[in-house]
Amino acid sequence: MVEDANDNEVELFLEAVKDARPLKPKRVHHAPLRPKPIPKQFIRDEQQALADSLSDYYIPAHDLETGEELLYLRDGHAPDILSKLRRGHWVIQAAIDLHGLISDEARLYVATFLNDCKKRGIRCVRIVHGKGLGSRNREPVLKHKLRGWLMQRDEVIAYAEARRQDGGSGAVIVLLKA
């Protein structure tokens, strides 16, 4: 009796679908998306503009440096900014290290770093330039160039030699505009 019930259900089903036609699948073929072109010339131009924005031959009309210590305060800012910067008043939010870079690489790296900090709203940074012990004549080449590069940047309010625990005479702490 169970078999008759199953046979009966199958027959009913086949009777119900006898006029049915299979659906034709409607598939939409999407062409693969092409990647956006990489503007290589634009990127090269931007990098060159960054490199050109910092000159090795910039000589400021005045600076506050005494001897070998890096120290600078942009006109129009309170003198206590320098003492706060030297004491570590602001938290260092980002840092880069220029060890092993030649002058042109370092200049581009610093410019790119400062632009990135400006976009991200970073206020206080450390730039490690080294003490020059591995340089020819054991002189800090990047230290002196960095001084001029930073003075040329409008977003730099002040900079001072880092505290000993932050790199001492081999690094500089830079305060940027908010």
Side-chain angles (χ1 to χ4, degrees):
M1 182 114 190
V2 174
E3 287 180 28
D4 289 338
N6 282 341
D7 289 339
N8 193 19
E9 287 178 10
V10 171
E11 287 176 22
L12 282 172
F13 175 74
L14 291 174
E15 180 64 31
V17 296
K18 71 179 178 189
D19 295 327
R21 289 176 297 150
L23 292 174
K24 293 181 182 176
K26 291 185 179 181
R27 294 184 187 240
V28 178
H29 178 70
H30 293 285
L33 294 176
R34 287 183 154 178
K36 291 184 178 181
I38 298 171
K40 292 180 181 177
Q41 185 61 47
F42 176 77
I43 292 170
R44 283 193 296 268
D45 290 346
E46 286 292 309
Q47 288 176 337
Q48 188 60 46
L50 275 175
D52 292 344
S53 70
L54 298 177
S55 168
D56 287 339
Y57 307 106
Y58 177 74
I59 300 172
H62 64 286
D63 58 34
L64 301 172
E65 293 186 25
T66 56
E68 287 295 308
E69 184 179 6
L70 288 179
L71 199 59
Y72 170 77
L73 177 66
R74 187 167 300 283
D75 286 339
H77 293 280
D80 67 328
I81 288 176
L82 279 177
S83 59
K84 287 180 178 179
L85 197 58
R86 293 168 96 181
R87 286 193 318 257
H89 178 77
W90 288 279
V91 173
I92 297 171
Q93 297 171 295
I96 58 170
D97 189 342
L98 305 179
H99 279 103
L101 300 178
I102 61 173
S103 181
D104 290 336
E105 293 170 338
R107 180 176 50 233
L108 182 60
Y109 192 33
V110 168
T112 304
F113 175 69
L114 292 176
N115 283 343
D116 185 51
C117 289
K118 186 176 177 180
K119 287 177 191 171
R120 293 173 38 209
I122 291 176
R123 185 83 199 269
C124 185
V125 299
R126 176 178 57 222
I127 300 175
V128 179
H129 50 71
K131 296 182 180 182
L133 301 178
S135 301
R136 205 175 315 132
N137 299 331
R138 299 178 66 80
E139 290 184 21
V141 175
L142 291 179
K143 177 179 182 177
H144 300 302
K145 290 188 177 204
L146 182 63
R147 178 187 84 192
W149 298 340
L150 291 175
M151 287 181 188
Q152 294 175 62
R153 296 298 297 240
D154 187 47
E155 65 267 25
V156 174
I157 294 173
Y159 62 78
E161 185 174 293
R163 295 178 300 167
R164 197 171 68 178
Q165 64 265 31
D166 291 326
S169 63
V172 64
I173 306 300
V174 184
L175 184 65
L176 304 171
K177 289 181 183 177

